[in-house]
């Protein structure tokens, strides 16, 4: 299994925790929405074909293995988008050599990274909105 994470730096997270539980909960909710949206985008836009530019399901196992979840503790909030544990999950995301003797070169057909990239604008705007609400 491999995963990509949104992680708030510890120093920033400590400052956020001093702002109170309500603020922390709003950030958790924003990360949860973003990571669930990234999961949906990955499955619908990058794991639903058409070949050869995107991955099309053969068995659907890779698509079913993609999972997004928000994990929170004080002061850290993490959004994790992962796939696996499948031996071919990473080779599709990053490309590389595979097969007997590693003689087959596969090009990358990412399905997690572009989904995370797609939700960054939402997350930025939501975090800005939450911070602005502190000053009203």
């Amino acid at each position: 299994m491999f995963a990509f994470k949104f992680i708030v730096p510890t120093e920033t997270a400590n400052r956020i925790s001093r702002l109170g539980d309500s603020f922390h909960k709003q950030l958790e909710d924003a990360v949860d929405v973003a990571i669930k949206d990234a999961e949906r985008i990955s499955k619908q836009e990058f794991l639903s074909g058409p070949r050869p530019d995107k991955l099309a399901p053969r068995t659907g196992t890779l698509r079913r293995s993609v999972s997004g979840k928000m994990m929170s503790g004080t002061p850290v909030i993490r959004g994790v988008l992962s796939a696996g544990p499948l031996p071919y999950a990473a080779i599709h995301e990053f490309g590389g050599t595979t097969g007997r003797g590693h003689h087959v070169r596969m090009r990358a057909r990412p399905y997690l990274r572009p989904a995370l990239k797609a939700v960054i604008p939402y997350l930025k705007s939501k975090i800005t909105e939450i911070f602005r609400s502190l000053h009203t």
Side-chain angles (χ1 to χ4, degrees), residues 37-128:
D37 200 31
E39 177 184 345
R40 179 192 58 76
I41 290 167
S42 177
K43 290 177 178 181
Q44 290 179 358
E45 294 183 23
F46 298 101
L47 290 172
S48 296
R51 291 178 182 266
D53 297 324
K54 297 179 183 178
L55 293 168
R58 285 191 165 177
T59 65
T61 303
L62 180 59
R63 185 170 42 191
R64 282 190 306 275
S65 80
V66 172
S67 173
K69 60 184 169 184
M70 188 276 302
M71 297 182 294
S72 181
T74 303
V76 178
I77 301 169
R78 289 187 176 111
V80 178
L81 185 64
S82 62
L86 300 171
Y88 50 86
I91 195 78
H92 285 301
E93 180 73 22
F94 300 107
T97 56
T98 188
R100 289 192 177 140
H102 293 277
H103 295 298
V104 177
R105 175 94 180 125
M106 284 186 65
R107 66 183 175 86
R109 288 183 286 179
Y111 54 95
L112 296 178
R113 291 174 292 164
L116 286 170
K117 187 176 180 182
V119 300
I120 288 173
Y122 163 79
L123 201 52
K124 284 182 176 179
S125 75
K126 192 65 179 172
I127 290 170
T128 300

